[in-house]
Amino acid sequence: MKKILLLGLIGLMGSMAHGQFSEYGVKAGLGAATISDDLASKSPILAANLGGYINYTFQNSESLFAEVLYLQTGLNLVRRGGNFEEIFDRGTNISIRTGYYHSYYIQLPILAGLHYELPIRQSGHIVGLYLGPTVSFGLFGGYGDRKITPGVASPSANYDINFNGSNADRQLFNHINRLDVGLTFGLTYERQKFTLSFFIDRGFLATSDGDDILRIIQSMQSQGTNVDVKIPNGHNIAYMLSLSYQLGNLLN
């Protein structure tokens, strides 16, 4: 088994030596994003991807994988985040905080893909899949929230319940980790210059390290002592549907 894996790795490295950059284009997508592993998460927000791509193919290689294997990279602007709900219980005084968190990242994917032309009468129907790591850096984002006390006719809006400073300070993205490293897995259908993809984008670095709105879901009073119930750090996750268009081919 080890010999088979070693021979496969040597064959793949040999193919890469005969590879070349080829197709390039643009892509755009919409979907649903939320903060996973976060008990305060209530519902997803609208996720978005917009960017460009370039493929690295192995058409000049004699490897068995040359016709089906490709690598892809590029740059994307992505929107991630989620809606949350928190409950504050202090005996007879119960308050609910609802709101949203959103952020915009610049994302670099490094994907390995396989595509295969279906053996049907009409040619040009190609299906495939891809998998690979992503590195994202936060550009900007913010919170919006309000505190609602049941029985009170006019719920108050307060954008600084957890943080000191103005609302403008919150919009400066000071309370969210900018760096995220993740994994993307997708399924594709190619037809002429268009490619339709469904993919899952999962971040592995926590969106926040501190005791902020994403981590404290409940504050209760027990024998005169306030206790903050903390939850695990949340991670970005999105389910996306994307359409890409090939603008050209560097080999032509």
Side-chain angles (χ1 to χ4, degrees):
M1 184 65 181
K2 292 182 179 180
K3 291 182 178 180
I4 294 176
L5 293 176
L6 181 60
L7 291 175
L9 180 60
I10 293 174
L12 178 60
M13 294 178 65
S15 297
M16 294 183 65
H18 295 87
Q20 58 280 309
F21 288 103
S22 54
E23 304 92 359
Y24 63 93
V26 294
K27 60 171 60 176
L30 295 174
T34 189
I35 306 297
S36 67
D37 308 326
D38 190 329
L39 298 181
S41 293
K42 181 181 180 182
S43 60
I45 65 167
L46 179 67
N49 277 50
L50 179 65
Y53 72 91
I54 185 168
N55 289 343
Y56 190 83
T57 57
F58 311 97
Q59 298 175 8
N60 295 332
S61 172
E62 297 180 357
S63 170
L64 296 175
F65 302 100
E67 295 297 324
V68 298
L69 176 67
Y70 69 95
L71 302 179
Q72 185 179 102
T73 188
L75 280 178
N76 301 316
L77 176 66
V78 304
R79 184 179 194 258
R80 298 293 184 261
N83 293 306
F84 61 83
E85 182 177 83
E86 297 176 291
I87 299 176
F88 296 83
D89 184 356
R90 294 180 175 88
T92 59
N93 183 9
I94 298 177
S95 297
I96 301 173
R97 181 183 301 146
T98 62
Y100 64 87
Y101 147 66
H102 65 253
S103 58
Y104 293 83
Y105 294 83
I106 190 74
Q107 185 183 76
L108 172 69
I110 304 175
L111 308 174
L114 296 171
H115 50 193
Y116 173 71
E117 183 172 357
L118 296 175
I120 57 179
R121 178 175 299 179
Q122 187 178 15
S123 62
H125 295 272
I126 302 172
V127 296
L129 56 85
Y130 58 80
L131 176 70
T134 61
V135 179
S136 304
F137 185 78
L139 299 178
F140 54 90
Y143 297 117
D145 60 60
R146 66 174 184 170
K147 184 177 180 181
I148 304 172
T149 302
V152 178
S154 301
S156 61
N158 189 330
Y159 293 91
D160 296 296
I161 297 175
N162 280 7
F163 305 123
N164 295 322
S166 65
N167 186 42
D169 177 64
R170 294 165 60 93
Q171 298 300 318
L172 294 179
F173 212 64
N174 294 332
H175 308 286
I176 298 297
N177 288 338
R178 289 179 179 266
L179 180 65
D180 195 8
V181 176
L183 188 68
T184 294
F185 170 74
L187 302 174
T188 63
Y189 169 73
E190 303 174 35
R191 178 66 173 164
Q192 297 179 351
K193 293 186 176 183
F194 291 93
T195 300
L196 182 66
S197 304
F198 171 77
F199 65 93
I200 300 174
D201 182 21
R202 174 67 155 83
F204 292 116
L205 299 187
T207 57
S208 176
D209 290 329
D211 298 337
D212 61 21
I213 204 167
L214 297 178
R215 296 192 62 204
I216 301 177
I217 62 169
Q218 187 175 15
S219 179
M220 66 184 70
Q221 190 171 25
S222 175
Q223 297 179 351
T225 303
N226 289 330
V227 178
D228 291 329
V229 180
K230 301 178 182 178
I231 58 177
N233 281 316
H235 301 80
N236 283 312
I237 187 169
Y239 303 89
M240 303 291 301
L241 190 64
S242 174
L243 182 66
S244 62
Y245 178 76
Q246 179 185 327
L247 294 176
N249 193 322
L250 297 175
L251 302 180
N252 294 336

